[in-house]
Amino acid sequence: MLPIISADQRLAEKSGVKLVLLGPSGIGKTSQLKTLPESSTLFVDLEAGDLAVRDWRGDTLRPPTWPAFRDLVCFLAGANPALPAEVPYSEAHYRHVVEQFGDPEQLGKYDCYFVDSLTVLSRLCLSWCKTQPGAFSEKTGKPDARGAYGLLGAEMIGALTHLQHARGKHVVFVGILDEVTDEFGRKGYAPQIDGAKTGLQLPGIVDELISYAELPDEQGEPRRVFVCHTCNPWSLPAKDRSGQLAQVEPPDLGALIAKCAAATRPAASAGPATASNPSTHSILPQEASA
């Protein structure tokens, strides 16, 4: 029988904000890492383009392949006990990755996982998907693009959803935002992610969807801001599930996460977010599995 969790117990649990930060190339998305505590943030660097944050002194991991990223997600978020042993994120998969990465207690030092970027991650995933049996026609043996992209959507959504369930951790996914024009000449915005399924389902996975944009202020001068509400005059993709954010917020990711997290704490104890006690341990993975 499942135990009933009271309101007091639920409010006492440590919760994390799950957030997607989208913006055009060069606006400074990766540089937002500098607003997060170095001692309690893990930077998952998929782009190997950390020039803008080379002076940031937190811990970094660089998974080079989709299977390596999938292993890391399982380690960071734990196992899903409902899954059979042969599929990713199961108890068996978790035991395997613990042998690679070491004692899961070392993750206690981290309050936030910063994943940069979804754009590159989707390319890693698609490259792997194109080599799988489902990406080839059973009749002719030739590559089947529909099969590859179908697998891409399932793999990306599975990984992002699993990492979203890392309880007590803030998770930030960074991605490029493109301006697009439909067949009727109407302009809009969409995340730069291979395959349509991930981009369509992404808003439903996370708590916060933030567009980082350069918009004119009251004097007409350009300024960089976070756009946070779904209904905004610029038609930028955005969502605020916390109810704590204004339509436009200053471009400070650390402050924005702290503001969102205030919604998960009882009123009597709400206050500035604090970093976990830093540990001397770091994650040093061995060779990732295929």
Side-chain angles (χ1 to χ4, degrees):
M1 179 178 177
L2 291 175
I4 296 175
I5 302 172
S6 69
D8 289 340
Q9 289 173 322
R10 179 172 52 82
L11 290 171
E13 291 177 340
K14 183 180 178 182
S15 299
V17 176
K18 309 306 189 288
L19 182 149
V20 170
L21 179 64
L22 300 175
S25 296
I27 200 168
K29 300 181 298 296
T30 302
S31 295
Q32 286 295 318
L33 181 64
K34 294 182 178 180
T35 70
L36 303 175
E38 294 176 341
S39 63
S40 58
T41 301
L42 177 63
F43 178 25
V44 182
D45 179 15
L46 296 160
E47 295 198 336
D50 59 354
L51 184 62
V53 292
R54 289 194 68 180
D55 56 343
W56 187 80
R57 300 185 62 82
D59 293 343
T60 302
L61 280 175
R62 294 178 180 142
T65 64
W66 176 251
F69 178 80
R70 203 166 54 180
D71 285 350
L72 177 60
V73 166
C74 188
F75 183 66
L76 296 180
N80 181 345
L83 296 176
E86 65 274 10
V87 303
Y89 318 119
S90 65
E91 293 277 7
H93 186 200
Y94 182 64
R95 289 194 297 270
H96 168 72
V97 298
V98 166
E99 292 178 0
Q100 289 186 74
F101 291 98
D103 189 351
E105 292 297 320
Q106 63 186 296
L107 296 176
K109 68 176 287 190
Y110 301 114
D111 285 337
C112 182
Y113 304 140
F114 186 92
V115 182
D116 186 16
S117 68
L118 291 176
T119 304
V120 174
L121 181 62
S122 68
R123 293 169 187 163
L124 285 178
C125 185
L126 181 58
S127 295
W128 177 83
C129 290
K130 287 180 176 179
T131 68
Q132 302 307 300
F136 295 88
S137 170
E138 293 184 359
K139 292 183 178 180
T140 66
K142 294 181 178 180
D144 178 4
R146 288 187 303 175
Y149 278 94
L151 182 57
L152 167 68
E155 286 285 331
M156 285 287 292
I157 294 300
L160 299 182
T161 301
H162 192 74
L163 189 52
Q164 186 264 353
H165 282 87
R167 295 196 65 83
K169 307 290 185 182
H170 306 308
V171 182
V172 177
F173 300 107
V174 177
I176 295 175
L177 185 64
D178 284 337
E179 186 174 344
V180 296
T181 303
D182 66 16
E183 61 270 25
F184 301 106
R186 296 174 299 192
K187 291 186 177 181
Y189 298 91
Q192 189 183 107
I193 302 174
D194 285 331
K197 183 177 180 179
T198 304
L200 290 173
Q201 295 194 21
L202 192 59
I205 295 174
V206 296
D207 304 311
E208 310 295 323
L209 178 62
I210 308 297
S211 284
Y212 191 8
E214 190 172 86
L215 301 173
D217 62 15
E218 295 176 356
Q219 288 73 41
E221 296 296 324
R223 58 168 181 163
R224 292 182 179 183
V225 297
F226 287 163
V227 178
C228 310
H229 287 184
T230 303
C231 297
N232 63 79
W234 310 282
S235 299
L236 288 163
K239 180 184 80 169
D240 172 31
R241 188 174 285 170
S242 73
Q244 302 293 302
L245 304 180
Q247 183 179 82
V248 172
E249 292 281 349
D252 184 322
L253 183 60
L256 184 134
I257 288 175
K259 196 171 182 179
C260 293
T264 68
R265 296 193 296 269
S269 63
T274 58
S276 297
N277 184 34
S279 166
T280 57
H281 297 291
S282 62
I283 298 177
L284 297 174
Q286 300 170 12
E287 185 179 352
S289 68

